[in-house]
């Protein structure tokens, strides 16, 4: 006789579950889905300058519980193209891959042709189409850029 044993507890099965989309710095987005259903219309993650934002899961089917889906934020990689800007000057490479938000060290331009009367001195790298110089440090430009070398001349035997 099993009447003295307690009957098993049947947990209440929910008819709908909540999928919570979490992206740091933004309000959570909650979506309700029928038990056993699938989520096909994901909310769009909020854009973050210099980064690609995606959800950690891109397919949700046969949903049987509440779920949390986190945003994945990945720094974008960009290309710096160098235009030396002076005949006789050289660079080891003409392009450089950089990661948004990471430290960069710009290439050094070298002038190889000296004479007794003049020498060309590298001044700075300017962002094409601007008078803005780019220096070593954290890359915070959201995109590819071209840098133009700016030079000056020094005159005389002692330069």
């Amino acid at each position: 006789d099993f009447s003295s044993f307690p009957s098993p507890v049947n947990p209440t099965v929910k008819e709908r579950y909540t999928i919570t989309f979490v992206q740091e710095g933004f309000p959570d987005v909650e979506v309700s889905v029928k038990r056993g259903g699938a989520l096909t219309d994901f909310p769009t993650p909020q854009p973050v300058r210099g980064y690609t934002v995606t959800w950690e899961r891109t397919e949700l089917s046969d949903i049987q519980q509440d779920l949390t889906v986190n945003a994945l934020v990945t720094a974008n990689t960009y290309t710096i193209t160098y235009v030396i800007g002076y005949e006789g000057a050289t660079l080891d490479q003409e392009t450089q891959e950089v990661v948004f938000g990471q430290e960069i060290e710009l290439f050094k331009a070298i002038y190889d042709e000296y004479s007794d009367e003049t020498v060309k001195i590298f001044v700075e790298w300017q962002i094409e189409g601007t008078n803005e110089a780019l220096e070593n440090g954290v890359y915070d430009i959201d995109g590819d850029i071209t840098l133009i070398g700016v030079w000056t001349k020094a005159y005389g035997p002692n330069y």
Side-chain angles (χ1 to χ4, degrees), residues 1-11:
D1 178 24
F2 294 103
S3 62
S4 62
F5 292 102
S7 63
V9 177
N10 287 330

Side-chain angles (χ1 to χ4, degrees), residues 62-149:
D62 192 26
I63 295 170
Q64 300 293 329
Q65 63 185 0
D66 292 334
L67 297 170
T68 299
V69 178
N70 294 298
L72 300 175
V73 181
T74 307
N76 293 333
T77 299
Y78 298 110
T79 301
I80 296 175
T81 301
Y82 292 86
V83 176
I84 198 71
Y86 217 91
E87 189 175 328
T90 60
L91 281 173
D92 291 336
Q93 292 178 254
E94 293 181 0
T95 61
Q96 178 181 13
E97 296 293 310
V98 295
V99 178
F100 186 87
Q102 299 292 314
E103 287 283 329
I104 63 165
E105 185 172 334
L106 299 174
F107 292 162
K108 292 179 175 46
I110 301 167
Y111 184 72
D112 293 328
E113 296 180 15
Y114 297 98
S115 73
D116 290 337
E117 296 177 13
T118 64
V119 64
K120 277 69 171 181
I121 300 171
F122 180 78
V123 176
E124 65 186 5
W125 291 111
Q126 286 186 355
I127 300 171
E128 184 177 50
T130 74
N131 289 326
E132 182 182 344
L134 186 67
E135 298 177 356
N136 294 336
V138 175
Y139 189 81
D140 66 352
I141 298 171
D142 186 13
D144 299 331
I145 61 169
T146 298
L147 296 179
I148 309 297

